[in-house]
């Protein structure tokens, strides 16, 4: 709740004006039964048509003024809730951007999407209803009871007995449904996660003819969510019938007791109508309050989930300035261990090596051997669990974030492009780069030829994820994007897997010829891509089992030799 109030601080005036105008509308509504009572008691009782018309004019005026107050209140409530939700969404997005890979892995991408969209919309709707009705409804309820007391103290006892019963019903059901709505949102996370996974992997699902299995898996999440929503919906649905029963019994009691009061000359017939109208107003407002309570229950559950993310501490901290260099090594690992959050075992164990400036370092190993884990420690996507990682002579933790991102360029396994143009994607590397720098990077990445063939060249549109480009084109553009920055350390995490051997060889040759001579890490499954590297690191089950040149490893490292021989005939040359 504190996070929500912080975003309302800038909109205090309209947040106060919204319920204030609603209270004014409610005040005018409370006068309506009194005017109706006067029409019956005076106008109809005495046959005074002029009085009846004047009272009707008052009713019209009350309606128009009330309508005006209602419109103003709803405008302010909508404006306050939209601005508050907008600020909350921006804060949440900024906090998510500050989280490390470890925190995002633990929370889950689909959960973050749900909280950025569905949960914040729930909070916005709940806040809107709260500002409009949560003060108006109690005001009408207690105001109607007070007006009834002013008309007849005896009959008003029914109001003071009915109101506590109604509040027990409303808030009792709220206490029951609030935790259930939190479970509903959790179930929605599961559905969102299954949907997102299937959409991102639709080609794999179809390639292995797993449509039915995935439909069954989705149906499981969907059915669980449906059952939970039906269950909490049935409980919430009790609100209206229970309140209607209580209020209608109270109206019967009012009519019965009021009739005896009229017979005894203690109450006028118009006053009985006014009392019934007040009880009807209470009924209507409690129905609205019940709906508001249900919506607020859901929004509070969503707010709790948002707050959980907002209060997730950022695992990594960066100094304001980068510390001075303490060595000349480009990258150095000293007995580095890495265990992911929630993992059962280590992904890296006791890894030690040194890469000098300008060297090309190859990283190879079987699937799950820890290649990606190793190179993700260099740009500090993760912190080592044990040991020390040194980047350009400085401990990784002593780098300012902006300086580290400038010094280290990485091309991830999955080529990720963003909707826009080729130019806009390349400018992610350096937003100040001119066309000459962009073409230079494209030439080095072996992408210039196909970009020139595009009708619009650098301004050729790119769809989300680069769907309108082939896999090899996407990979070359992501490599060019990293080269635009001219980093001191360049990491290619299996980012040339879609390239043919000739293009791969040309790419490696151009990387060796880069004028700023970066230290290049190449993660690959192919020994042919690494045979000319100055140093090759061989990983097996998270351990560094060999390092050296291609020729040295063929002689001394059985794991490397096995990988090489599985790709080329024993004794054959690697092309």
């Amino acid at each position: 709740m504190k996070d929500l109030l912080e975003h309302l601080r800038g909109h205090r005036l309209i947040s106060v004006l919204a319920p204030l105008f609603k209270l004014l509308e409610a005040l005018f509504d409370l006068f309506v039964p009194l005017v109706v009572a006067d029409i019956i008691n005076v106008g109809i009782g005495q046959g005074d048509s002029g009085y009846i018309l004047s009272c009707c004019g008052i009713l019209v005026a009350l309606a128009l003024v009330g309508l005006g107050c209602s419109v103003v209140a709803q405008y302010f409530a909508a404006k306050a809730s939209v601005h508050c939700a907008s600020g909350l969404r921006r804060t949440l997005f900024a906090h998510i951007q500050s989280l490390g890979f470890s925190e995002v892995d633990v929370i889950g991408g689909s959960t973050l999407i749900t909280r950025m969209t569905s949960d914040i919309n729930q909070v916005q709707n709940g806040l809107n209803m709260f500002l409009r009705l949560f003060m108006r409804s109690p005001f009408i309820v207690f105001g109607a009871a007070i007006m009834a007391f002013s008309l007849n103290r005896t009959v008003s006892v029914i109001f003071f007995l009915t109101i506590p019963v109604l509040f027990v019903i409303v808030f009792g059901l709220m206490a029951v449904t609030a935790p259930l709505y939190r479970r509903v949102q959790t179930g929605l996370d599961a559905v969102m996660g299954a949907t997102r996974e299937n959409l991102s992997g639709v080609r794999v699902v179809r390639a292995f003819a797993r449509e039915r299995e995935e439909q069954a898996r989705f149906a499981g999440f969907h059915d669980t969510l449906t059952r939970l929503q039906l269950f909490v919906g049935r409980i919430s649905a009790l609100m209206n019938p229970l309140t209607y029963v209580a209020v209608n019994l109270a109206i019967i009691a009012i009519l019965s007791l009021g009739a005896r009061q009229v017979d005894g000359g203690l109450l006028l017939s118009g006053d009985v109508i006014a009392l019934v109208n007040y009880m009807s107003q209470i009924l209507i407002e409690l129905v609205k309050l019940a709906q508001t309570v249900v919506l607020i229950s859901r929004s509070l559950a969503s707010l709790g989930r948002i707050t959980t993310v907002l209060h997730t501490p950022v695992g990594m901290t960066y100094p304001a300035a980068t510390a001075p260099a303490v060595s000349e090594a480009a990258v150095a690992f000293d007995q580095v261990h890495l265990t992911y959050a929630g993992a059962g075992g280590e992904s890296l164990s006791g890894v030690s090596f040194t890469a000098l400036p300008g060297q090309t370092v190859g990283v190879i190993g079987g699937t799950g051997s820890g290649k990606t884990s190793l190179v993700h420690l260099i740009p500090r996507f993760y912190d080592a669990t044990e040991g020390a990682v040194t980047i350009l002579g400085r401990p990784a933790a002593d780098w300012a974030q902006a300086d580290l991102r400038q010094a280290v360029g990485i091309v991830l396994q999955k080529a990720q492009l963003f909707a826009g143009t080729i130019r806009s994607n390349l400018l992610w590397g350096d937003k100040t780069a001119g066309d000459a720098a962009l073409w230079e990077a494209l030439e080095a990445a072996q992408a210039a030829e196909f970009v020139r063939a595009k009708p619009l060249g650098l301004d050729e549109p790119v769809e989300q994820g680069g769907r309108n480009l082939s896999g090899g084109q996407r990979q070359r553009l992501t490599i060019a994007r990293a080269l635009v920055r001219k980093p001191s350390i360049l990491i290619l995490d299996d980012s040339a897997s879609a390239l043919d051997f000739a293009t791969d060889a040309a790419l490696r040759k151009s990387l060796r010829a880069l004028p700023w001579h970066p230290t290049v890490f190449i993660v690959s499954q192919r020994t042919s891509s690494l045979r000319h590297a100055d140093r090759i690191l061989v990983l097996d089950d998270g351990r560094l089992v060999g390092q050296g040149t291609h020729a040295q490893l063929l002689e001394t490292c059985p794991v490397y030799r096995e990988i090489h021989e599985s790709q080329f005939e024993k004794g054959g040359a690697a092309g």
Side-chain angles (χ1 to χ4, degrees), residues 346-351 363-371 374 537-547 557-560 562-563:
E346 290 186 329
S347 296
L348 293 175
S349 302
V351 176
V363 183
I364 196 169
T367 302
S369 59
K371 303 185 295 298
L374 184 146
L537 309 177
V538 185
L539 295 173
D540 184 39
D541 196 23
R543 296 184 179 277
L544 185 62
V545 296
Q547 56 178 313
C557 182
V559 174
Y560 185 81
E562 180 182 350
I563 294 172

Side-chain angles (χ1 to χ4, degrees), residues 129-140:
M129 290 293 286
F130 178 83
L131 293 176
R132 287 168 51 193
L133 296 177
F134 208 76
M135 290 185 65
R136 181 188 191 279
S137 295
F139 183 80
I140 287 283

Side-chain angles (χ1 to χ4, degrees), residues 7 15 18 77 113 175-176 194 233 292-293 328 331 334 348 352 369 371 401 489 495 541 554:
H7 288 91
S15 299
I113 292 172
V176 173
T292 304
V293 165
E328 296 183 357
V331 177
D334 183 13
L348 293 175
S352 297
S369 59
K371 303 185 295 298
Q401 187 178 31
I489 299 172
S495 54
D541 196 23
L554 286 176

